Amino acid sequence: MSEMPSGEQFTISSGKHEATIVEVGGGIRSYAVEGMPLLDGYEASDMCTGARGLPLIPWPNRLEDGAYTFDGVDHQLALTEPDKHNAIHGLLRSRNWVVSQHTDDRVEIGTVLHPCQGYPFCLDVSVEYAVNGIGLAVRTTATNVGQLPCPYGAGQHPYLWVGTDTIDTCSLQVKAGSWLPTDDRGLPMGVQRVGGSPYDFRTDRQIGDQAIDNTFTDLTRDSDGLAWVRFTAPSGRGVEVWLDRTYPFLEIYTADTQPHPHWRRGLGVEPMTCPPNAYRSGNGLIRLEPGQTVTSRWGIQPA
């Protein structure tokens, strides 16, 4: 057993691309191209902070009071964001994941979420990470292996980095038509169009000192059904994230609440199958029947 805080380390590479996946939380610890990091990750000797690179399952983002009702039954989850009285980012962030396949350029890692307090359902979850000459592709698959229908949502939490001390001088492009304002607990308060607001990044523009921790939706997609986010340094060094149609929502987070050395150093770009508080609002929430499987795909590449 590894003595590293993030457990065993699994490296994959192809040409100039190399990524390291970790046992604890099943996330991406690092990803670099030609030795240049594209993520604000963490060292193998450090514990993961800020859900850095981790899958967010069976819900992403925040759930008000950690409480919800599903099929007429009330459930209460632990408040993992106690200062705001929310449950946040799912139940798998500190669990040990098990590798089922590992080749030079690909690793598949998974875990079973057994019934627990607030989530009396059973999910078999696997995430495949693969690199090629273009970038890193991530495929998340969840199957309801229990006897009851269950609520499901998924996301992932990479922090993009383009070599700058802070994100303030960098430019961002998110082709999204709408954004979700939030209250002081980070919970959505409706939907607004981005036009005329500080959240209009449909045209590439500098972030400056703007603080963002909001969901974007109504995403413009290419002919392959992919939505794209571009993050660029003044030097021209850039990174892109793509997400398929199973991710209709996207969280942008400027890392204002992260401690040094990560404060506003990387940009959180989080594909999400549903927005915050979906277990209560039902917005984007996936209902998985027994035996049903859902698969989602997203990826990162240099721009």
Side-chain angles (χ1 to χ4, degrees):
M1 179 176 291
S2 172
E3 296 180 358
M4 297 295 183
S6 54
E8 293 290 333
Q9 311 286 303
F10 306 98
T11 298
I12 53 175
S13 63
S14 176
K16 301 173 182 177
H17 299 252
E18 182 174 285
T20 299
I21 312 306
V22 296
E23 173 190 8
V24 179
I28 315 164
R29 184 176 65 77
S30 64
Y31 171 47
V33 179
E34 293 187 301
M36 299 178 66
L38 272 65
L39 296 179
D40 182 25
Y42 55 102
E43 298 299 322
S45 57
D46 294 335
M47 187 174 76
C48 178
T49 60
R52 205 163 294 279
L54 296 182
L56 314 174
I57 296 170
W59 76 88
N61 217 291
R62 295 173 171 89
L63 173 57
E64 181 182 359
D65 300 329
Y68 67 100
T69 301
F70 184 75
D71 279 357
V73 180
D74 295 336
H75 301 283
Q76 179 63 61
L77 291 151
L79 299 180
T80 46
E81 191 181 41
D83 58 322
K84 295 183 178 178
H85 213 258
N86 296 321
I88 190 169
H89 290 335
L91 297 169
L92 300 180
R93 292 187 290 155
S94 298
R95 299 202 178 202
N96 288 1
W97 293 53
V98 177
V99 166
S100 57
Q101 297 186 55
H102 186 193
T103 63
D104 289 344
D105 59 0
R106 175 180 171 274
V107 63
E108 185 172 342
I109 191 165
T111 189
V112 175
L113 174 57
H114 293 283
C116 59
Q117 176 189 331
Y119 196 81
F121 312 105
C122 195
L123 281 177
D124 186 283
V125 180
S126 67
V127 182
E128 179 195 75
Y129 300 91
V131 287
N132 53 32
I134 298 174
L136 169 69
V138 184
R139 183 177 67 188
T140 301
T141 302
T143 301
N144 181 351
V145 292
Q147 297 181 0
L148 298 172
C150 68
Y152 174 78
Q156 198 146 355
H157 209 311
Y159 290 74
L160 309 185
W161 190 58
V162 287
T164 57
D165 291 336
T166 73
I167 63 173
D168 296 25
T169 59
C170 299
S171 296
L172 172 65
Q173 184 178 59
V174 183
K175 292 184 178 180
S178 301
W179 69 289
L180 278 60
T182 58
D183 62 16
D184 57 4
R185 295 172 60 187
L187 301 169
M189 300 187 302
V191 181
Q192 294 184 11
R193 301 298 294 175
V194 299
S197 80
Y199 297 88
D200 190 351
F201 288 93
R202 289 174 295 180
T203 301
D204 186 76
R205 68 176 176 87
Q206 191 177 84
I207 296 171
D209 62 0
Q210 184 175 352
I212 308 170
D213 190 2
N214 295 89
T215 299
F216 291 76
T217 190
D218 296 330
L219 305 175
T220 298
R221 296 183 180 273
D222 64 17
S223 59
D224 294 320
L226 303 180
W228 292 82
V229 176
R230 181 189 293 262
F231 179 57
T232 312
S235 65
R237 176 178 166 185
V239 59
E240 294 178 316
V241 170
W242 56 265
L243 45 151
D244 75 4
R245 292 189 184 278
T246 63
Y247 295 111
F249 303 92
L250 177 73
E251 186 83 2
I252 299 294
Y253 172 47
T254 48
D256 296 85
T257 57
Q258 294 298 299
H260 180 79
H262 296 293
W263 179 82
R264 291 186 69 88
R265 185 172 187 262
L267 181 72
V269 176
E270 309 163 35
M272 301 189 302
T273 63
C274 59
N277 222 23
Y279 274 33
R280 290 174 72 105
S281 70
N283 186 13
L285 186 64
I286 296 170
R287 177 188 177 91
L288 279 181
E289 300 293 337
Q292 187 177 356
T293 296
V294 61
T295 298
S296 304
R297 297 173 60 251
W298 69 278
I300 310 173
Q301 62 191 49

